[in-house]
Amino acid sequence: NPLSVTFNISAGHGEMIELPIETARGPLTALLLECRRDGEFSDLPMLDYDADPAALNRRILDVMSVHFPNVFVRADQDSFRLVGADSLLQGAVKPVTRRSWANISDGCFAFAIGDPRCTMDPLTGQGANLARGRGELGHHIIDSDGVFDRDFCESFEERVRYRVAGVVNFNNALLEPEPHTKRLIHALPKSTRLCDDFSARFARPETMWFDILR
């Protein structure tokens, strides 16, 4: 309480996103902790929950108390825990952007859309926007007159280039923010209008990059 999404930044260390989520166990809160390799809680992805569940719970509370105190004060420390091993996901992401198509054999092509096209840090939650390339491919097929050759592939690449570039560059701009981006983020709590505009652009990330952050 309150029921909301909160985005918390600990400069130089990482972020924590607090998310209300509906599960098979009922409504719960998910905590997405994003750790920089050189940050103070970079050990979290390596902690072994099965070996010592209580140690992982304590470590997350410790991290929250130091880096995300506004969330920590709302946590019931006596009952705070991971609900089960099946509710834990740990790992690391190496951002990679690939060409959207490949020639499998003579006259046979394969497309990469969404995560196979661009493996991104989850910081801005833009995976769904990348997956919208499926719809673009559908329109491209309709417009193709049934000819699916190399030119078809290259024109599809050109068709989605602007949006893909916007998504990836917006995400990377927040991973390593320039001074003007930091000033924008610091200004958000002072202006509801600015917050509304910033949030709305998550659905149009190309405008966030090309019109604002670039």
Side-chain angles (χ1 to χ4, degrees):
N1 183 33
L3 185 66
S4 63
V5 174
T6 65
F7 184 73
N8 310 273
I9 300 172
S10 179
H13 303 288
E15 304 82 34
M16 185 174 74
I17 305 175
E18 176 191 7
L19 297 158
I21 186 169
E22 193 67 37
T23 76
R25 298 178 175 92
L28 295 172
T29 297
L31 300 179
L32 171 59
L33 287 136
E34 301 170 332
C35 321
R36 293 183 66 95
R37 286 183 299 178
D38 52 352
E40 291 182 0
F41 49 92
S42 59
D43 59 308
L44 289 182
M46 279 73 74
L47 294 182
D48 188 343
Y49 174 79
D50 292 327
D52 192 344
L56 183 137
N57 294 330
R58 286 195 305 271
R59 178 62 180 135
I60 292 177
L61 280 173
D62 289 343
V63 169
M64 289 168 59
S65 68
V66 174
H67 295 275
F68 311 110
N70 61 314
V71 181
F72 176 74
V73 297
R74 294 189 285 114
D76 183 340
Q77 296 187 44
D78 293 330
S79 62
F80 181 88
R81 69 187 186 282
L82 192 68
V83 296
D86 61 341
S87 295
L88 176 66
L89 179 64
Q90 294 165 292
V93 176
K94 180 179 180 179
V96 178
T97 299
R98 305 170 183 87
R99 193 172 65 172
S100 64
W101 61 275
N103 190 347
I104 301 302
S105 62
D106 187 30
C108 183
F109 300 91
F111 282 94
I113 295 173
D115 291 337
R117 170 75 191 280
C118 300
T119 304
M120 295 197 309
D121 189 284
L123 175 62
T124 60
Q126 288 295 324
N129 275 321
L130 281 177
R132 286 174 60 180
R134 292 179 303 172
E136 288 295 329
L137 180 57
H139 291 302
H140 199 55
I141 291 172
I142 292 171
D143 298 338
S144 69
D145 295 325
V147 178
F148 308 115
D149 54 9
R150 184 185 183 94
D151 288 342
F152 172 84
C153 298
E154 290 178 345
S155 58
F156 173 72
E157 173 89 8
E158 191 61 33
R159 183 168 184 156
V160 299
R161 185 186 306 276
Y162 177 75
R163 184 173 186 85
V164 170
V167 171
V168 172
N169 282 295
F170 163 47
N171 196 70
N172 292 345
L174 292 190
L175 280 174
E176 299 290 349
E178 297 286 345
H180 68 274
T181 302
K182 292 179 181 179
R183 290 197 298 272
L184 171 61
I185 293 171
H186 288 176
L188 291 174
K190 304 171 186 176
S191 170
T192 300
R193 183 185 62 82
L194 198 61
C195 280
D196 289 344
D197 184 73
F198 187 82
S199 299
R201 289 178 188 272
F202 272 72
R204 296 176 289 113
E206 66 275 18
T207 71
M208 183 80 86
W209 170 246
F210 288 108
D211 300 345
I212 305 296
L213 297 182
R214 184 178 63 161

